[in-house]
Amino acid sequence: MPIPTILVVDDDSIVLFLVETHLKEGGFTPITASSGAEALKILEQRPVDLVISDLIMPEMDGLEFLDRIRKLHPNLPAIVITAHGSVESAVDAMRRGAFDYLEKPYNPDDLRMTIQRALDYHHMRQENEQIGELLRERFTFQSIVTANAAMKQVLEMAARVAAVPRTTVAIFGESGAGKEVLARAIHFAGKGLPSSFVAVNCAAIPEQLLESELFGHVRGAFTGADRDREGKFSLARKGTILLDEIGDMPVPLQAKLLRVLQERVFEKIGSNTPIPAECRVIVATNRNLAEEVAKGRFREDLYHRINVFPLAIPPLRERRDDIPILCDHTLEQLRQHLGKSLPGISREAMEVMLRYPWPGNVRELRNCLERAAILSDAGMIMPRHLAIATGPGTDPGAPPLPVAEGMIEYHLRLPLDQVSLEALDQQILEMTLQRCGGNKSKAAQLLKIGRKAFYK
């Protein structure tokens, strides 16, 4: 690692000598300047990693010098040194962008530790900015490839609402259709910081913990609350919170979420202090919320409150014109990820993919191609490389075998010589899940079996 260069600014030559000596002993490369004007000239001529400046100097004092470097070098960290009793001036300097301050006479170890903390913080900020740029490149509307007219309309509407951060967005779509990808694109289109996108899966968190997860709690609010805890709404401040699978949110908690959306405030569990909800709210679900309202499982007032700007992502089986372009896009990513040439997909394999209903949508397609790319040994992807046959030994290219189950007609892809009760059971389960939009409880109810049995 290169040795950090530190610019020290002070009109007192003795202080300059002492600081310079301590910096050399600490493993830094010091440069000294006896005035703010001299320091600005040095900054024009060579880069430095950090500035240490006295506050009380003739002609240009430390605060004015700090304002100048904030304009000319906004990312340059600065530490100020102040005389005893001038803490108010040091605090003012921190409001203007200084990282920290030290009082004279300072301890050399405190000086080195403060410098190292400032350099580490600056390095972390640079890394976060680089990560943010990478995420913005990855999660943009331009990165969502499509040739489908309906999907293009969804992206156009999403781009419009991205400019209105206080509008609640509801994204509807089956599992694997890309709801979170679209939510991130909306977030980054609004210039949000990467760290301020917070996703919460309402179906994955137990009911008794979900309220604390969303809003936080204070110490002693309930058994086991041994310290204060920030909730996801606090972490998403100035950014975006995605409430995924909101259709699975318990009804009592739905009332509290309604208040947050209406009044834009929330309270930690065990506290009566209102906290502003300063974030964009995006909800997502694979359920039909209108049906959930009719069945009494979702509050009607909350449904109307979140349905301000609905976006419905069509399933992949309804936009088969996207399959070739998604394959090309995914293969390009896999070439970089796997380090393989991957010439492409054979015509026969593409025909199989175009016929397949893709119950797992885009996620299933990506997973299927990654497995096929690994098995293809850098050659063309053939039908035998595709894991989209639903059952052992099945052929996805075989003619469909119609089977009736109650009022539902299934088109199962099984060669006649490989039909078995186990294979039929497996395909019926998967097709039912697809027809229920990924809703496992609904699929189990339709098949008249328990949810646990369905999972098994």
Side-chain angles (χ1 to χ4, degrees):
M1 294 292 291
I3 298 174
T5 301
I6 313 296
L7 174 60
V8 186
V9 189
D10 201 306
D11 61 320
D12 189 326
S13 59
I14 297 178
V15 173
L16 280 181
F17 174 76
L18 288 174
V19 177
E20 182 180 15
T21 302
H22 294 148
L23 291 177
K24 288 179 179 178
E25 292 174 351
F28 303 109
T29 300
I31 305 173
T32 60
S34 59
S35 68
E38 182 184 353
L40 290 175
K41 289 181 180 180
I42 292 174
L43 290 173
E44 290 177 359
Q45 297 169 359
R46 60 174 299 177
V48 301
D49 298 295
L50 183 139
V51 171
I52 299 176
S53 174
D54 189 19
L55 281 181
I56 309 301
M57 296 186 293
E59 297 181 7
M60 183 188 300
D61 65 15
L63 293 178
E64 183 181 352
F65 171 65
L66 191 63
D67 288 340
R68 295 284 295 275
I69 63 173
R70 285 280 75 79
K71 292 179 181 179
L72 299 172
H73 309 277
N75 295 321
L76 181 62
I79 297 171
V80 297
I81 298 179
T82 180
H84 180 68
S86 302
V87 176
E88 290 185 2
S89 298
V91 172
D92 190 16
M94 293 182 66
R95 291 194 187 101
R96 300 189 186 200
F99 175 78
D100 207 343
Y101 72 91
L102 292 170
E103 286 189 73
K104 297 178 182 178
Y106 62 84
N107 184 300
D109 290 335
D110 290 342
L111 174 66
R112 288 190 287 269
M113 290 176 59
T114 304
I115 291 173
Q116 194 58 57
R117 285 193 298 109
L119 292 173
D120 290 344
Y121 177 76
H122 178 61
H123 181 66
M124 182 182 66
R125 280 192 59 183
Q126 287 181 319
E127 287 187 340
N128 284 343
E129 289 175 0
Q130 292 172 357
I131 293 172
E133 289 303 316
L134 291 174
L135 289 173
R136 285 187 179 92
E137 291 176 6
R138 179 180 177 186
F139 295 107
T140 62
F141 294 116
Q142 291 74 24
S143 67
I144 303 176
V145 296
T146 183
N148 181 263
M151 190 63 189
K152 287 181 178 179
Q153 186 177 11
V154 171
L155 295 178
E156 181 182 349
M157 294 175 63
R160 286 178 177 270
V161 78
V164 191
R166 288 188 65 85
T167 298
T168 302
V169 180
I171 303 177
F172 299 92
E174 296 179 2
S175 296
K179 297 186 291 295
E180 184 169 339
V181 173
L182 183 59
R184 288 184 181 272
I186 294 172
H187 168 72
F188 284 110
K191 309 300 180 185
L193 297 173
S195 59
S196 59
F197 180 91
V198 179
V200 184
N201 189 330
C202 299
I205 303 173
E207 178 177 347
Q208 61 271 23
L209 298 180
L210 184 55
E211 183 178 357
S212 174
E213 190 74 15
L214 290 176
F215 308 127
H217 62 255
V218 298
R219 181 180 179 183
F222 49 83
T223 303
D226 55 352
R227 59 185 176 86
D228 288 2
R229 186 179 188 277
E230 298 295 327
K232 300 299 187 184
F233 270 91
S234 295
L235 297 177
R237 184 174 178 270
K238 303 296 184 182
T240 300
I241 185 169
L242 169 64
L243 302 178
D244 200 7
E245 305 299 349
I246 193 173
D248 293 281
M249 178 177 285
V251 175
L253 192 53
Q254 292 176 21
K256 297 185 178 182
L257 176 62
L258 178 64
R259 179 182 175 235
V260 174
L261 296 177
Q262 288 177 337
E263 302 179 16
R264 288 286 168 175
V265 295
F266 64 94
E267 297 168 358
K268 290 184 177 182
I269 299 177
S271 171
N272 294 322
T273 303
I275 303 173
E278 300 176 298
C279 60
R280 180 199 299 271
V281 179
I282 300 178
V283 303
T285 182
N286 58 19
R287 293 177 181 267
N288 185 324
L289 291 186
E291 292 183 0
E292 296 296 300
V293 170
K295 295 176 181 178
R297 293 197 291 254
F298 201 84
R299 291 179 62 105
E300 184 175 6
D301 48 3
L302 179 59
Y303 170 67
H304 293 302
R305 189 64 188 80
I306 66 174
N307 206 33
V308 179
F309 200 94
L311 297 171
I313 302 179
L316 189 55
R317 64 181 175 275
E318 294 180 7
R319 48 186 179 106
R320 295 183 184 274
D321 48 343
D322 271 351
I323 292 176
I325 191 172
L326 285 170
C327 288
D328 289 343
H329 182 68
T330 303
L331 283 181
E332 182 58 36
Q333 294 176 331
L334 290 172
R335 290 185 184 103
Q336 301 176 19
H337 174 62
L338 301 175
K340 299 172 70 172
S341 59
L342 300 176
I345 302 174
S346 69
R347 181 177 58 82
E348 296 81 5
M350 181 58 71
E351 289 178 355
V352 171
M353 298 182 80
L354 289 171
R355 291 200 302 267
Y356 185 65
W358 298 108
N361 292 290
V362 179
R363 183 189 297 129
E364 183 185 6
L365 182 142
R366 293 180 184 278
N367 293 343
C368 173
L369 283 178
E370 182 170 357
R371 178 183 184 277
I374 294 172
L375 296 176
S376 67
D377 295 325
M380 291 286 287
I381 292 177
M382 307 300 290
R384 66 178 181 274
H385 300 135
L386 302 174
I388 58 177
T390 53
T394 60
D395 178 7
L401 173 67
V403 177
E405 165 73 11
M407 298 298 294
I408 302 176
E409 182 178 319
Y410 296 90
H411 295 281
L412 306 174
R413 299 183 181 279
L414 281 170
L416 291 175
D417 60 345
Q418 295 180 11
V419 172
S420 69
L421 183 60
E422 180 182 358
L424 289 173
D425 282 346
Q426 182 174 346
Q427 292 200 32
I428 288 172
L429 289 171
E430 293 181 355
M431 287 298 195
T432 305
L433 184 63
Q434 171 198 337
R435 290 175 182 271
C436 294
N439 187 324
K440 301 177 186 63
S441 297
K442 186 175 180 180
Q445 183 181 10
L446 192 62
L447 292 173
K448 297 181 175 60
I449 61 176
R451 185 181 172 93
K452 291 183 179 180
F454 184 90
Y455 268 112
K456 183 178 180 181

